[in-house]
Amino acid sequence: MNQKIEISTIFHAVRRFLARIFAGAAPRAGLDISDQAVRLLYEKRGSWQLEQVALQPGTLERGTIVNADAFASALSTLHDKASDGKQKRLAVHVSVSSAPSYIQLVSIPPVSSKELADAVQLNVQVSAPVQLTELAWGWQPLPEGRTASAVLAAWIARPTVDALVSALAEANFLPASLEPKTMSVARLVRTLAPDATKTGAYLLASLDEMGVTLAVLDKGVVRFQYARTWAEIRGARPEVAYPALDELLRREVSQVVGYYAQRGGTRVTEVLLATPVFTEEITATLADLGFEVRTLTVGNPPFPLHGYGAFGSALRGNVFGVSDDMELSLLGEQVREWLKKELALRVARFWLVVAPVSAIILLATYGLAYGFVSRLSDSLASFEGIVPPTLIAELADREARVNRFNATVAEIAAVQSNMQLRSPQLSSLLAHADKTGVTLTRVNLIAMPERSSVAGIAGGDDQLLSFKRSLEGDPTLARVLLPVTEVRSGPDGLTFSMSFEASFPPASKTSP
């Protein structure tokens, strides 16, 4: 049975081919956006470079753009540093540090792969606090596979994401994906520090300029997160002192680990700590709570902690997404259309260069061929006058032989066209075969009560059955049988053999 090929499948394959050809080994780039700074990590001549631009106070508040001009200026400065002042689109994966984001597991009933996306949307809507139209959200399957009973979903307020994407586009950035910083750091850990922990599930405690994030990672994928800003930790105090942080850790770490265990997760006994401050104090607090603490370090010398978000997002790879692996992104169809247009633009630029070059090469080849043929013609013309008489006589003799042979063939063809088959029964069988398009390879005509038989090749079932019915309608034939065991498929069609009783005088075996 032939499988139907959907147009979307063909389009996906073509897009993957074009992406591999025209996207090439495009440099990876990750952009981290927080209320304090914008940071860009990108590849340049095979090495990573980290650039950052500090934001004026009040430019962003919890990821929301308050001062659009100041934010646009910072992005333009960052773009100029990365592109050496060239006005070209810079494709980036975006990590958001300060905007409130929510990550959680969403249960999915067992469904087919075609129904999975609709089932995810329905169940994410049940878990989300507002309508999905008000959120920028995305999901990805867990490492257990696409048919697992739960997926990982995340969302951020849509106005926040729409404003950030618009500002990036105006600054000549092409955002290919957007995700919470926790997911970027998790990718960094499982890609560049897979031996940081030996347990399957562990707690990632990350402290940065925004606050404290506690996230449970299992198989390198975020399963749950809890975040508090420094303002929430500080409360009415003028500054953050360690006792306030110690109080938060003692209260919230146990609750996060317990919540994950209640939701069916494994028991977490290890903490991976990423912090620029209070390292010894936090380690002592967590050890007092019964956890084994490991400090997260990436690279040698260690990569700066404030660049973890940009580094993790850059590790998503090629922005054109030729990989089949599905990773969560909070960007919708609009950005996918941007990527398609960018790829189409690259293809068009390629042909703008290749087409004129191809035309020049074709014209040059035509000119060379014309010159060669002209020289060959002149050479043959000069050779014509010096042909030996013996060669001319031999050619004339051969031409006469060819003419006599052709005349003989014509006479034989005329005789064959007037020949009549001596057996009317054989003529009838050939007529049936010609009418139905069947080719006979063997005919065995025997007088009754013996059974005669024919064998041949048919183009298909319909053609074979048509030939059988034609024989059954012949009054000189009876009991036409087509055994199923005598029908076989071959490279030229269906080979068959059928038998019948013929009412005519005995005849000798003959084959056409």
Side-chain angles (χ1 to χ4, degrees):
M1 181 179 294
N2 296 329
Q3 296 182 348
K4 293 183 178 179
I5 302 177
E6 297 181 356
I7 296 179
S8 59
T9 304
I10 299 176
F11 174 79
H12 180 67
V14 171
R15 182 176 176 274
R16 284 169 54 86
F17 172 77
L18 293 177
R20 286 192 176 95
I21 297 298
F22 297 102
R28 295 173 290 178
L31 178 67
D32 180 38
I33 301 176
S34 71
D35 287 357
Q36 283 70 35
V38 285
R39 300 181 177 92
L40 178 66
L41 182 75
Y42 60 97
E43 283 183 308
K44 189 173 185 179
R45 299 183 181 92
S47 62
W48 291 107
Q49 296 196 28
L50 179 65
E51 300 284 356
Q52 65 177 350
V53 176
L55 296 178
Q56 301 175 11
T59 301
L60 295 182
E61 291 184 3
R62 300 298 302 276
T64 300
I65 301 176
V66 178
N67 188 336
D69 293 338
F71 186 56
S73 176
L75 290 177
S76 297
T77 301
L78 196 62
H79 183 277
D80 291 342
K81 289 183 177 181
S83 62
D84 297 327
K86 298 178 181 178
Q87 293 299 315
K88 63 179 182 180
R89 278 187 294 275
L90 182 60
V92 293
H93 294 291
V94 183
S95 177
V96 180
S97 300
S98 54
S101 61
Y102 300 88
I103 303 174
Q104 70 178 64
L105 298 182
V106 177
S107 299
I108 303 296
V111 294
S112 65
S113 58
K114 292 184 178 180
E115 299 172 333
L116 182 58
D118 292 336
V120 169
Q121 180 173 349
L122 178 62
N123 286 271
V124 170
Q125 178 62 84
V126 173
S127 303
V130 296
Q131 292 295 320
L132 291 183
T133 54
E134 301 178 29
L135 300 174
W137 69 283
W139 66 279
Q140 71 179 45
L142 296 176
E144 290 83 356
R146 295 180 181 272
T147 59
S149 58
V151 299
L152 184 67
W155 56 79
I156 296 178
R158 177 172 293 279
T160 299
V161 171
D162 288 346
L164 290 175
V165 169
S166 297
L168 290 170
E170 291 177 2
N172 239 355
F173 284 101
L174 178 64
S177 68
L178 187 145
E179 64 187 4
K181 180 182 178 181
T182 304
M183 301 194 68
S184 301
V185 176
R187 184 181 299 104
L188 180 68
V189 171
R190 67 174 178 265
T191 304
L192 299 181
D195 298 329
T197 177
K198 297 181 180 179
T199 60
Y202 55 93
L203 182 70
L204 175 64
S206 175
L207 282 72
D208 56 20
E209 59 204 12
M210 293 304 303
V212 178
T213 301
L214 304 175
V216 177
L217 274 64
D218 193 350
K219 297 182 180 179
V221 177
V222 180
R223 303 301 178 100
F224 176 74
Q225 78 161 3
Y226 171 89
R228 282 293 180 267
T229 64
W230 291 120
E232 293 171 332
I233 299 172
R234 182 176 66 246
R237 303 180 184 90
E239 59 183 18
V240 176
Y242 186 72
L245 181 58
D246 179 79
E247 179 184 352
L248 172 76
L249 293 175
R250 292 182 181 275
R251 181 181 67 251
E252 302 298 346
V253 168
S254 298
Q255 289 186 5
V256 170
V257 171
Y259 176 80
Y260 178 70
Q262 292 174 3
R263 297 292 296 272
T266 58
R267 183 171 178 268
V268 177
T269 61
E270 186 174 359
V271 177
L272 192 60
L273 179 62
T275 177
V277 295
F278 301 130
T279 303
E280 295 181 359
E281 293 89 339
I282 295 174
T283 301
T285 298
L286 294 174
D288 189 41
L289 293 174
F291 293 96
E292 180 184 351
V293 182
R294 297 176 182 268
T295 302
L296 174 62
T297 56
V298 175
N300 188 18
F303 189 80
L305 287 172
H306 61 264
Y308 276 14
F311 203 170
S313 60
L315 291 176
R316 288 184 74 120
N318 194 306
V319 299
F320 293 103
V322 297
S323 172
D324 289 329
D325 296 333
M326 178 179 177
E327 289 194 272
L328 185 150
S329 174
L330 304 182
L331 299 182
E333 291 296 331
Q334 180 183 17
V335 172
R336 293 190 181 95
E337 290 299 323
W338 289 353
L339 293 178
K340 292 176 183 177
K341 291 179 180 178
E342 177 70 13
L343 180 59
L345 182 60
R346 292 193 177 197
V347 175
R349 288 173 177 170
F350 170 80
W351 285 113
L352 284 176
V353 174
V354 170
V357 173
S358 301
I360 293 173
I361 294 175
L362 181 62
L363 290 174
T365 304
Y366 175 78
L368 292 174
Y370 181 79
F372 172 76
V373 172
S374 298
R375 290 192 299 272
L376 180 61
S377 176
D378 294 340
S379 176
L380 292 175
S382 62
F383 178 76
E384 188 179 36
I386 58 175
V387 177
T390 55
L391 179 59
I392 296 176
E394 183 178 353
L395 292 176
D397 180 62
R398 292 188 178 184
E399 183 179 4
R401 292 181 183 180
V402 169
N403 291 335
R404 289 196 297 271
F405 175 78
N406 292 336
T408 302
V409 171
E411 292 174 358
I412 294 174
V415 171
Q416 287 182 337
S417 63
N418 296 322
M419 291 177 63
Q420 299 292 332
L421 293 174
R422 299 181 61 183
S423 172
Q425 290 78 13
L426 179 59
S427 300
S428 176
L429 288 174
L430 293 177
H432 289 302
D434 183 65
K435 180 177 67 175
T436 57
V438 170
T439 301
L440 298 183
T441 58
R442 179 176 57 81
V443 177
N444 188 17
L445 298 175
I446 304 176
M448 295 177 58
E450 298 295 331
R451 295 185 63 81
S452 302
S453 64
V454 293
I457 301 174
D461 294 338
D462 294 340
Q463 198 176 68
L464 179 57
L465 292 177
S466 178
F467 178 64
K468 180 176 180 294
R469 288 192 293 267
S470 181
L471 294 186
E472 291 173 340
D474 191 328
T476 64
L477 306 179
R479 299 182 60 191
V480 179
L481 298 179
L482 174 61
V484 177
T485 56
E486 297 297 329
V487 180
R488 297 180 180 86
S489 296
D492 298 325
L494 296 177
T495 61
F496 67 91
S497 177
M498 63 175 65
S499 62
F500 52 86
E501 294 180 356
S503 57
F504 53 85
S508 60
K509 297 182 181 180
T510 180
S511 296

